[in-house]
Amino acid sequence: MTETVDKPAAGASDQATLGFQTEVKQLLQLMIHSLYSHREIFLRELISNASDANDKLRFAALNDPQLLESEPDLNIRVELDPEQKTISVVDDGIGMTRDEVVAQLGTIARSGTGEFLSQLTGEQQKDSQLIGQFGVGFYSAFMVADRVDVMTRRAGAAPEEGVHWSSDGQGEFTVATETVEPRGTRVRLHLKSDAEEFADQYRLRALINKYSDHIAFPVLMAQADGEGEPEAVNQGQALWTRPRTDISDEEYVEFYRHVAHDFAEPLTWSHNKVEGKREYTSLLYLPATAPFDLWDRHAARGVKLYVQRVFIMDDAEQFLPLYLRFVRGVVDSNDLSLNVSREILQQDANVMAIRSALTKRVLDMLTKLAKDDAEKYGKFWGAFGNVLKEGLAEDQGNQEKIAGLLRFNSTHSEGQEQDRSLDDYIAGLAEGRDDILYLIGETPQAVRSSPHLEVLGEQGEEVLLLSDRIDAWALQFLPEYKGKKLRDVARGELRVGDQPAAGDTSIEGAEPDKDTKQLLKRIKRALREDVDEVRVSARLKDSPACLVLGEDDLGPGLREMLEASGQTVPESKPTLEINQGHPLIGRLAAREGDQFDELARLLLEQATLADGRQLGDPGAFVRRLNKLLLDLDAPDE
């Protein structure tokens, strides 16, 4: 960012003109030209920012009461000048220094700006939902203003250290040191000619009631008749402190938008007050859409923490486990010190007890949502299902409850709107059956067409189909569910219940004859570097061969994941199973020498591809396949 110093304006010094960050320029164009139908949210965003500034001052004043100066009562003021066509949003909060103004108003405050911009589509409804979520709420002012002025002074600084920031949103802004008497920040909007509808007191009051009634500080405006002192337009009481019966669904939704910076509505919420040995209030929300940084395990997460209604921190991750990092909301405790820090939270017994209770509450919310509204739960699962699976490993105490919330594609769910749960699977089991069959593959299409399902499909057995990268890792922590063993049908000997499966062979249930045993030995000798064993398959009906893992072997997906993370992975070879009734196996048995070795190798490579694995030498496979195609018309030797 380049800074040029201009001649100071009257009453100001060190005036400089600077350019916005490139991403901000793009964002401003979106704000100015694309989101006209959602322009009214500018007031919500500016009041929300003012509320945050007041919260931060109140917290800082716990250690330094002098920061409150002579004005301990904090509020937010919305001032309208109909003649000048200006709206000002004023707070008594923490304020900003010159460096903070340049850093916070010249760039997108949160990390991930590239990801933010990649999600912009030009569609008004979708793009408007991103406002606030990425720390860009301030820039929504340019939807209604052709110039924005910010006058601010950091609490504790001298009036002469105030700052005046100004921009028309066209790519540059000016910043100057200026005397600012009141502590806090004033944001003044000079309305565009097509936004003068907002230069109306009744319109602004309606917007405050609609979007900001839950703000815990009084939002003041001049009285409707212009007489007397300004009056509070909102209730000015922290929403979570009010009785649930007094709060409408619309108020809960608007408070969620304030807490989560999410324009969409939440799927559901839970408001609960606990009294007795420990006293705290929680208001927890389940979002409908995933944030851009969901898979960044180091990103800021957690609920807003208040102690005795005093704001303490934004992202108190100690109150929920990592696999519930998508939950948004507020926790207000009476049992913690006002001077609590992140380090103290990690060691506090009260926090651990609250964490356990909130975790159970969130899982109960999900269980109720799944039972009462399958469509909404389907949306949740699509957005956060893979994150929830992490809980199988991270939360052994709640593992069965988490497992009951999992949803799977299945050989019995094709064409159905909803995926299957483990309870659905168990309900369909024949009496005496004690296993839940599943299969893991690279993609939904690949796993559904796997040769491992051929005999099972013919027998009408249900198999859960897993294709997410996390599945192989997560399922190893869930050996059984409600007394039913989870069995991977691509491992070991295929069994259904207590019995081996019967495949499409000419000697069903019997030992291979002498010729078949000899063929197995020949294939094993040709492929000795790549397979552990070669045997007749009970899985196959239409395919000539498939690969089978040992009971304790790592699957290809998990092996790849561990290797990518730099971990040493133990060596293992798969078993090759052949369908002795398949014509290709008969053709193989008739070959000798190099022809036999080449066709056996091609059989292994074909099984490798069908299993969703990568070939070690794709070029050699193509050459073998081409040779086979050229020899199709050649007479058998």
Side-chain angles (χ1 to χ4, degrees), residues 410-412 425 428-430 433 435 437 453 455-464 489 495-497 501:
S410 157
T411 52
H412 287 189
Y425 188 103
L429 281 177
R433 281 281 304 279
D435 51 1
L437 306 180
L453 300 176
V455 166
L456 292 171
E458 187 176 62
Q459 295 175 350
E461 295 288 345
E462 180 174 15
V463 181
L464 303 178
V489 300
R495 306 177 69 86
V496 178

Side-chain angles (χ1 to χ4, degrees), residues 138-159:
F138 167 76
Y139 302 111
S140 63
F142 288 99
M143 290 192 290
V144 298
D146 53 23
R147 191 170 90 251
V148 177
D149 289 301
V150 177
M151 284 70 71
T152 184
R153 175 169 67 83
R154 180 79 177 186

Side-chain angles (χ1 to χ4, degrees), residues 517-529:
K517 288 182 178 179
Q518 185 61 30
L519 175 61
L520 296 177
K521 290 181 180 179
R522 292 174 65 197
I523 297 174
K524 173 64 185 299
R525 186 164 52 247
L527 304 176
R528 58 186 175 276
E529 299 296 329

Side-chain angles (χ1 to χ4, degrees), residues 201-202 205 222-229 231:
Q201 184 173 138
Y202 294 100
R205 282 173 171 265
Q223 295 187 22
D225 59 7
E227 300 294 331
E229 295 294 318
E231 59 184 0

Side-chain angles (χ1 to χ4, degrees), residues 227-255:
E227 300 294 331
E229 295 294 318
E231 59 184 0
V233 181
N234 66 326
Q235 295 205 27
Q237 179 183 359
L239 180 135
W240 64 89
T241 65
R242 294 162 51 191
R244 285 177 294 183
T245 53
D246 292 349
I247 307 172
S248 67
D249 287 353
E250 290 76 14
E251 289 177 297
Y252 275 121
V253 169
E254 285 308 320
F255 184 71

Side-chain angles (χ1 to χ4, degrees), residues 519 542-545 579-591 599-600 602-604 606 628:
L519 175 61
D542 301 314
S543 299
N579 177 1
Q580 64 178 353
H582 195 281
L584 186 55
I585 301 302
R587 176 72 66 91
L588 174 64
R591 302 294 181 181
L599 193 54
L602 191 61
L603 191 70
L604 173 63
Q606 181 189 77
L628 176 65

